[in-house]
Amino acid sequence: KDWEGDLDSFLEVGDLVDEEFVDYFINVLPPACMNGQCVQMGEPYSHNPDKDGKWRATYSTLKNSPEGWRYAGHCFRGQTEPVE
């Protein structure tokens, strides 16, 4: 509810978020990816090389866990491990 500014200044990887937070990001822009495992914000955050050296977009990601939705950082599309 009180979130302002850059997402990374508000959340750390692993932080739990509530359903209202998830719904907000689903409704702001069409998600880049949305399935039972993750929701990824609709615009790329950055571009990074993958394990094969190919540059790919990363997205701010929320992943589903047994405890609820967690912020996963910036991940490649459809993935839930943050790109370092």
Side-chain angles (χ1 to χ4, degrees):
K1 181 177 179 179
D2 296 325
W3 174 66
E4 290 181 9
D6 184 71
L7 186 62
D8 293 311
S9 64
F10 183 71
L11 294 173
E12 293 184 25
V13 171
D15 283 352
L16 281 169
V17 297
D18 62 17
E19 288 291 329
E20 184 179 357
F21 193 86
V22 176
D23 289 343
Y24 172 79
F25 279 99
I26 290 171
N27 293 316
V28 169
L29 288 171
C33 179
M34 185 171 82
N35 57 40
Q37 293 180 307
C38 71
V39 174
Q40 293 180 306
M41 308 322 159
E43 290 187 14
Y45 175 80
S46 65
H47 289 79
N48 294 80
D50 64 14
K51 62 182 169 89
D52 297 322
K54 180 180 175 185
W55 286 82
R56 297 175 46 202
T58 63
Y59 299 87
S60 296
T61 303
L62 301 174
K63 73 177 179 179
N64 203 354
S65 74
E67 300 82 25
W69 290 95
R70 293 188 177 275
Y71 180 59
H74 308 290
C75 309
F76 293 129
R77 179 177 269 180
Q79 298 181 4
T80 59
E81 293 301 317
V83 177
E84 300 296 326

